[in-house]
Amino acid sequence: MSINLFFWGILIQSLCAIIPLIIKNENRYSFLSHFGALLGIVFSLLGTIGNLVFGSSGLIYIGFNPYWNSLNFRFDSLSTFFVLLIQILSIPALLYSFSYQKPYIASGKKVKLYVFSFIMLIVSLQLLTVANNAVLFLVFWELMALLSYLNMVFENEKSEVQKGSFIYFVATHLATFLLYVFFLMLHQITGSWNFSEFHLVFNSTPQYYLLFALGFIGFGIKAGFMPFHFWLPKAHPIAPTYLSAFLSGVIIKLGIYGIFRVFEFLKPTDPILGWIVLAISLISAIFGVWYALAQHDIKTLLAYHSIENIGIIGIGMGIGLIGMAYSNQTIIILGFAGALFHTVNHAIFKSQLFIGSGIIYQNLHTRNIEKMGGIIHYAPWLSVFFLIGSVAISGIPPLNGFISEFIIYNSFFKTAGYFGNYYPIFMLIMTVGLALVGGLAVACFTKVNSIMFLGLPRTELKAFHVSRLEYFSLGILALMCIFIGIFPQPVIAFIIAVLQGMPIVNSFGNDFSVISSAFPAFSPFTMIFLSLILFMTMTFLFKKFLSRKSRIAKPWGCGYQHLNERMQYTASSYADELNLIPSNILMIKKDAVVPEDIFPKAGGHFHSHSHDFAEEVIVRPVYSKIIKSINRIVFLSKNDIRVYIAFILIALVSYLAFAFFWKF
Amino acid sequence: MEKLISVLIYLIFIVSAPLFIGIVNKLKSRLTGRLGPSIFQTYFDLKRLLRKETIYAQSASFVSRIAPVVSFSSILFAGMILPIGFYKPLISFNGDIILFAYLLGLSRFFQILGAMDIGSSFEGMGAAREATFAVFAEPIYFFTLGSLAFIFKFTSMYDIFHSISLNDPSFIIFIIVSAISVFFLMITETSRMPVDDPNTHLELTMIHEVMILDNSGLDLFLYQYSSYLKMLVYATFAADFFNPFNVQNHIIGFLLYIIILLILIGNLVWIETMMGRFRMKNIPRYLLFAASIGILNLLIYTFFNK
Amino acid sequence: MYLILALLGLPLLTGAVFFVFDNLKIKYAFSIIVAAIHLAAACLVFSGSNVPDFEQWLRFDALTKLFLLILSNVYFWVMINSYQYLFFSPVAKPEKSRKIFYNMTNLYLFANTLALISNHLGLYWVALESTTLCVAPLIYYYRDKESLEAMWKYLFLVSVGIAFAFIGILFLTLSMHGTDAFEKGLYFSNLIANSTKFNMIWLKASYIFIFVGLSTKIGIAPMHPGEVDAVSNSPSPIAALISASLGGTALMGVLRMLQITSKTPVYQFSQIMLIVGGMASLIVTVVFMFRLNNYKRMIAYSSVEHLGIVVLGLGIGGIGFIGAMFHLIYNSLTKMALFFMAGNIHRNYKSREIHNVFSLLKDLRWTGILFLLAFLAVVAMPPFGIFFSELMIFQGLLANGQYVLLSAVLFFLLFIFIAMSRNVFKMMYGSTKINEAEINQTNKPFDEKLNITHLSTAVILCVLIAMGLFIPPALYNTVSEIAKSFNF
Amino acid sequence: MENVLNILFCLSLLYLATTTRVDAYLKVFVLQGILLFFIVIMPLINRPSVFTLILPVTILLVKAIMIPLYIRKKIIIELEVKRNIESNLQQFNFLLLTVFSMIAVFISSNMLAKYTYIDAIPFAAAFSTIIIGLYIIIFRKKLIVHVIGFLVIENGIFLLGISVASEMPFLIELAALLDIFVVVFLMGIAINKISSTFSVDDITALDELKD
């Protein structure tokens, strides 16, 4: 019953996607399609929850193709987890996209194509996670890439939008080519196209490592691990904000979903693979956040933070992988639980931050944080929600970011405990790495919050309009952050249920009592955090009651009374000292004109910009070398008929020689 | 009964926080040949601040009103996790060393926001320095405590410190090594002499002081009290490493704790009078040095103890 | 018997009669009727109704049925769109080239159908030569320097190529000497039946000559330039006709030779030849795709690439062979869609240069979207068929264990994708270099009414999507029958 | 007797390689047409039936009379084409090339004659005509010379057909001849147009189609 509810929901959504193509009036179809799609999502959400509760792992056939045999769907626990994530996150995204497009419709921009492709994107995501046939998976995978590209060219007049979306499209296409080979090899080995039959004994296949590399890199490009992340900082800032919120909140998670599937198919039993995943994720985490520290564009900064959080999720998965190698169930559970929990958290607070930055972009029409400032006086509630988001993302206790990092820390300690010899040292390095990431995240988000919201406004601000709908979508996400932070038990129970369903977990013995013991006790958290918040409100009220008189005066500034906004700390000066350390990796270029004479006249300026290491050193030179070598093949290009005839003669003679001297 | 004693100990801990700084100032002035203020001078300052009128800057928003409250209460809660005088702390569960670090992170987060809220370049400079040095403080904490946690396979503060028994000579090396790095962590976090001079008034050199430059009245009270508390929390954290001869009797344990604290004060004062400040540029290098000591004892353990 | 009349007689008759008429409207109506009848006949033949084989002169096996259906489908769509095109095409002296347009297209249909269904190698050769003759004046439609040069090059190159094919046929007869098949003559059925008794050296030599000769017409590198010049300078219906149907007919000769050599030890060699040809066309496309600035030429090179992939698939065999068959079908549909839209763009922007075409999505709303969809089809995006056929070919490559070849093919396809998408997206969005405002005044407003080309392209794309995911059983049976006849 | 005619054919090729004037090319082409006529007539002498005679007569008619007349009238006179054929390869090298290729063809056809059922001389003559025809196209600039080169290739193919004594049905031979004539006819029209639009009729003019 619940499954066809899910498919009914999908049907409604796709119908709503087609509405804009029929109705002419912009406002009417945008309203109809957005809220119709919302209704569809609620339907399919009920469907997924229904079949999670009633549990149905049967296959749903939608057609038969002579070459790819049955095109079917399957609701196993991992895909239900990700479908739920997509559906929950698409509600605020749709609300925000509706209000984001309103000013554009008012200014007469035709948004038909973009409304259609955004809703179809949500539909293809849901079907992608549920697809069980490899070819069907590839179809929806490419559709996802195509539709997100079509959506990304929202403001395609600007050249940076054209360039960024082109890089995104090529990167996903490269990832898909790797996945072609990955799925074809799996088909060749197991002889079937269904995910449920793709399980392989480790040492029976010679190309085992090649398969793992293909799968991991293919999905890693989409997830955004460090060496293959070059498209992410280019694609996020130029996409319309509702898409970049959805892109980094949900679409990147599909790379993670893919990597989980790779683990499920290959069941790696070699710890080295675990170590590789751990190393890549640690690098992505540390350098993700360090690059973010050096950025001035708010959306590139958030994009790099997505890389950092993907790194943290990767660390959880690496630990799980090591657990699988030694087939020790507690480690597997801890690692994967940390990864899944952080996926949920990241989806929530990252969409919140992106929506916040989108609202600011719509009012100030700039993404450069050095031009913002003092927004808290004009939109206090917006800065409260943004503050909650940034506290959550840097993993500070009362909110949900801390819980998932806590699980991952615990997995480090448990791994060091179980496996002797060198593991404690490596686990220590991982703990310190994660702590460093936490510290840098704190530094980065204090910078973002203080430069954007606090202090004096750097560009004069008049009205700051935030629609009720935007407040509502931000409100839902903020509430989720706080709720999960203080009451993690329900989400933990849900994740344990998902883990029980996953073959990679329950195939190592399924006495799930060990699971509850593996998990650190969460009951103290609720008690501590509640009392912490209670204590804070108490002291705040006490302070308000006790301080009978409080006065507003000019800031002290050691006696200098004429503080103006240009004397404030800017983003680059705040993060300057921290950026000096890996400056050759961050590739920070500073151009500064310093007036020399004693009474300096105007004209001095300072600008620092960081280039992406992976792009400058790996992708760009390789690409230009290939293009140069392609262009060097010049002899083919003479367009004289005698040359063509000479080609025919040469081809003939060479084939004849080849035919008669080849020994077969 | 057990719970009652730990609550009582915790209350004493909170009340005696300013006393610790009072003794330090008194001892320091004595060493430099001055009579120096009485050890209760810090209490009088706090009382004076209670009466004072709180002044907020024009550019300040609600953040600068809640920042002192949040940073004060998070340090209070961090104190609850520490085993004071080798007693069982109020909060202790598996994994509370992570909660301890991140609670301090929370207080730092809001202190920086409070400073940046005023929008003057002095607070900005202090906040930037605080954020930079905090990034290096966390690795020191995790290196030392993490390596101990890995050695003893416990993740709760109380269990770790109780499993350190000084009668086995190899443990003494660990304790000395981690004590040095933790002492350095204490100096950085509580902005004592070699890293930052607590009672200088030259804005360009201050780190911690300049962040609370613009606060007054009750906010300043809360900030001052939380800095005293932070000082005592880090002192106790350093003291807990020396849990001699796993003493069972509480009274002797508590006395031992006070003696170790006094030794610590002596150390602190000695360094403050003798050494000048490090240059701001190479403070990160010293912090990395302190962190690498931490990893030393894990290497010792794993390789020699095979 | 009436089927033969519909397939061959009617086009010949109308082709001849039209030399007398010169009223364009009647000619258009007549040729659409002929095309419709031809399509109906082809469908009947495809669905298995038996046709007399004129004492061995004609042959209706699975391969001919499939190719016949492709040809008539392409011809039908081209005929529908030709009238729309004739009236608006920017030609200096239109009436002279319009007069002979419909005669030549009908004669082309006759020659092409004859070539497809002929059972005798010589008859096939003559019909192929006459298709070149029919197409040459059509290429010269624009009567300007480029089209003249393109016609000359095409005519000269292809006739030299086909002459070499004739040498190949003579070598085949040489290889038949001394066997009893010699008396029975050059009938395909006879050749395929007792090909094992032939002399291997001459069979190999004849295969080479026929492959090289015909590849000038198919467009396989290094003999592709003639085809590319012709396709990129002829009017877009004719370009669609050439690249979609003519390539297939020439490929028929190569397939027949493959069938002949399939039972003999020469088979492995002929497969390697096909693979080499396929790879060469991919390399050539990559090289030229980065340098060109003319979107019609870009589509021409993409058809060289796709026919290279088809030949590669044929060379691999097994699932790759089946993939190649489907690839041929899907490629013919995609090429038509692309060329019709290119024709539309050419008519509105009056230039074939990519940098003169900009903000297509904004100005020509329908053409822009359909051109983008057609481009996505040609670059193997999933809902469209080419994705599935390419997947089959990759699967065949893997089944043969050719990892290196597969990675090379993927590498080239990726770079072709990069180059093509860069060009197409430059056309799609507003050009940032030239200041758009003053440009718009010059050639605005475009008449973007929904005309027949849009409708037919939309229908073609829908057929492409439908055939991609859910393959009709009749097609599946025919393709597996073909595979059996090549003993896969 | 056939061998003598074939050798004469090769001689005509060599002459082609040396001359630099266009109408000399034409005369050689006419000679080759006549030689072909005799080669075809030779085996049919002993059973003279009208039916078998049609083919040689058409060859004579098409190859020796109609095409040369057409070329001479339409191209050389109307366009007063300059006499000599510019070539981008000195005559001497071209001659060397033709001689070497003919030697190579003769050697390989002898080798082949041992394994398979062919008689060496006619096969070698036919094959060398084809190759020399190709060289003419590759190394000459004038368009008319290209057409003549193409016709020489056709002669070579026809000679090959006869030497292989293939039982190619009569209708196909005739259709092939007809096709060749139509191709030449079209090329003639094209050259007219080219020389009128490009005002110079050698191949270098044809480079409008850049990428």
Side-chain angles (χ1 to χ4, degrees), chain B residues 107-126:
Chain B
S107 84
R108 197 178 303 122
F109 191 95
F110 273 89
Q111 208 167 4
I112 292 172
L113 278 191
M116 293 295 278
D117 188 22
I118 293 122
S120 88
S121 44
F122 302 108
E123 275 88 357
M125 200 187 297

Side-chain angles (χ1 to χ4, degrees), chain A residues 469-516:
Chain A
L469 209 59
E470 278 150 4
Y471 271 136
F472 180 65
S473 46
L474 280 175
I476 306 172
L477 294 167
L479 261 177
M480 272 200 244
C481 276
I482 297 167
F483 179 76
I484 293 176
I486 294 171
F487 304 101
Q489 286 80 359
V491 179
I492 296 283
F494 172 61
I495 285 178
I496 288 178
V498 169
L499 286 175
Q500 277 162 2
M502 283 161 74
I504 31 182
V505 175
N506 56 25
S507 64
F508 294 93
N510 47 23
D511 56 342
F512 284 96
S513 63
V514 80
I515 283 193
S516 48

Side-chain angles (χ1 to χ4, degrees), chain B residues 250-298:
Chain B
H250 293 303
I251 313 298
I252 303 163
F254 192 72
L255 284 176
L256 265 174
Y257 164 69
I258 291 177
I259 293 157
I260 297 167
L261 274 189
L262 288 174
I263 298 163
L264 208 65
I265 290 170
N267 242 330
L268 206 63
V269 166
W270 174 261
I271 288 178
E272 269 186 36
T273 42
M274 287 307 141
M275 288 178 68
R277 290 173 57 88
F278 295 140
R279 277 191 53 232
M280 201 60 86
K281 276 280 163 284
N282 38 26
I283 284 180
R285 204 177 311 127
Y286 290 112
L287 290 170
L288 284 180
F289 162 70
S292 52
I293 300 175
I295 200 165
L296 205 60
N297 55 22
L298 189 74

Side-chain angles (χ1 to χ4, degrees), chain B:
Chain B
M1 177 49 189
E2 191 62 39
K3 258 299 180 237
L4 202 61
I5 295 172
S6 40
V7 165
L8 194 66
I9 295 283
Y10 182 67
L11 281 177
I12 295 165
F13 171 84
I14 294 171
V15 166
S16 67
L19 186 65
F20 185 87
I21 298 290
I23 297 167
V24 166
N25 293 344
K26 182 78 179 177
L27 210 60
K28 206 163 67 173
S29 39
R30 265 276 183 267
L31 263 178
T32 48
R34 290 182 283 108
L35 194 56
S38 89
I39 51 176
F40 300 104
Q41 180 54 31
T42 41
Y43 286 95
F44 305 143
D45 294 344
L46 290 177
K47 196 152 70 60
R48 170 173 51 79
L49 286 175
L50 271 180
R51 283 186 291 98
K52 281 274 189 190
E53 172 197 38
T54 46
I55 298 166
Y56 292 109
Q58 277 154 352
S59 62
S61 63
F62 68 86
V63 168
S64 59
R65 285 165 176 76
I66 60 159
V69 168
V70 173
S71 74
F72 173 71
S73 43
S74 57
I75 288 175
L76 260 181
F77 271 74
M80 286 184 197
I81 297 172
L82 271 176
I84 305 151
F86 316 115
Y87 267 85
K88 193 152 177 38
L90 277 172
I91 306 168
S92 105
F93 55 92
N94 275 344
D96 57 16
I97 51 176
I98 303 154
L99 185 62
F100 179 77
Y102 274 79
L103 274 175
L104 292 175
L106 174 65
S107 84
R108 197 178 303 122
F109 191 95
F110 273 89
Q111 208 167 4
I112 292 172
L113 278 191
M116 293 295 278
D117 188 22
I118 293 122
S120 88
S121 44
F122 302 108
E123 275 88 357
M125 200 187 297
R129 285 193 190 123
E130 175 74 17
T132 320
F133 298 151
V135 166
F136 297 103
E138 299 239 346
I140 301 174
Y141 171 80
F142 271 97
F143 262 127
T144 46
L145 208 57
S147 48
L148 282 181
F150 283 132
I151 294 168
F152 301 120
K153 295 189 179 47
F154 286 108
T155 55
S156 147
M157 216 49 119
Y158 179 71
D159 303 340
I160 295 173
F161 288 131
H162 261 273
S163 54
I164 305 175
S165 54
L166 288 179
N167 42 29
D168 156 5
S170 69
F171 274 108
I172 294 173
I173 311 161
F174 297 146
I175 298 316
I176 292 160
V177 163
S178 24
I180 295 164
S181 56
V182 164
F183 185 77
F184 214 88
L185 175 68
M186 183 172 84
I187 288 168
T188 350
E189 281 300 303
T190 51
S191 56
R192 295 312 297 183
M193 192 45 196
V195 170
D196 159 27
D197 182 353
N199 35 32
T200 164
H201 279 295
L202 184 58
E203 291 76 13
L204 295 181
T205 59
M206 290 194 270
I207 301 171
H208 181 66
E209 290 310 314
V210 82
M211 288 215 288
I212 48 173
L213 194 65
D214 202 76
N215 298 87
S216 56
L218 251 168
D219 296 342
L220 192 55
F221 168 83
L222 284 173
Y223 273 126
Q224 285 291 14
Y225 202 97
S226 56
S227 72
Y228 297 150
L229 260 176
K230 204 167 174 182
M231 186 64 215
L232 193 59
V233 159
Y234 272 100
T236 342
F237 177 63
D240 279 346
F241 276 87
F242 303 91
N243 168 15
F245 323 112
N246 51 42
V247 72
Q248 291 320 328
N249 184 323
H250 293 303
I251 313 298
I252 303 163
F254 192 72
L255 284 176
L256 265 174
Y257 164 69
I258 291 177
I259 293 157
I260 297 167
L261 274 189
L262 288 174
I263 298 163
L264 208 65
I265 290 170
N267 242 330
L268 206 63
V269 166
W270 174 261
I271 288 178
E272 269 186 36
T273 42
M274 287 307 141
M275 288 178 68
R277 290 173 57 88
F278 295 140
R279 277 191 53 232
M280 201 60 86
K281 276 280 163 284
N282 38 26
I283 284 180
R285 204 177 311 127
Y286 290 112
L287 290 170
L288 284 180
F289 162 70
S292 52
I293 300 175
I295 200 165
L296 205 60
N297 55 22
L298 189 74
L299 290 178
I300 299 164
Y301 177 75
T302 27
F303 288 124
F304 295 126
N305 201 336
K306 193 64 80 273

Side-chain angles (χ1 to χ4, degrees), chain A residues 534-649:
Chain A
L534 196 67
F535 187 81
M536 280 187 210
T537 37
M538 255 242 294
T539 33
F540 184 75
L541 291 176
F542 175 75
K543 188 165 82 87
K544 196 172 263 316
F545 163 73
L546 190 66
S547 64
R548 282 173 305 291
K549 41 197 184 323
S550 72
R551 187 158 55 82
I552 308 286
K554 278 192 178 304
W556 162 238
C558 300
Y560 180 73
Q561 285 306 318
H562 312 294
L563 271 179
N564 64 29
E565 71 284 355
R566 279 202 345 279
M567 293 165 73
Q568 286 178 107
Y569 246 53
T570 61
S572 34
S573 55
Y574 184 90
D576 179 43
E577 209 162 314
L578 264 173
N579 290 343
L580 279 183
I581 297 150
S583 58
N584 44 21
I585 296 169
L586 296 182
M587 298 170 84
I588 291 180
K589 307 260 179 320
K590 292 183 182 164
D591 55 34
V593 164
V594 180
E596 287 80 21
D597 45 15
I598 300 147
F599 297 100
K601 285 176 283 309
H605 71 81
F606 169 84
H607 176 70
S608 81
H609 181 69
S610 103
H611 297 282
D612 186 303
F613 180 82
E615 192 206 335
E616 295 300 324
V617 167
I618 303 168
V619 173
R620 201 173 293 281
V622 162
Y623 180 74
S624 49
K625 226 180 256 76
I626 291 172
I627 301 296
K628 234 189 260 72
S629 58
I630 284 176
N631 291 342
R632 215 173 298 120
I633 309 174
V634 175
F635 67 89
L636 277 169
S637 73
K638 289 196 194 48
N639 50 23
D640 173 355
I641 194 153
R642 290 172 303 166
V643 171
Y644 298 158
I645 304 281
F647 278 157
I648 295 183
L649 187 61

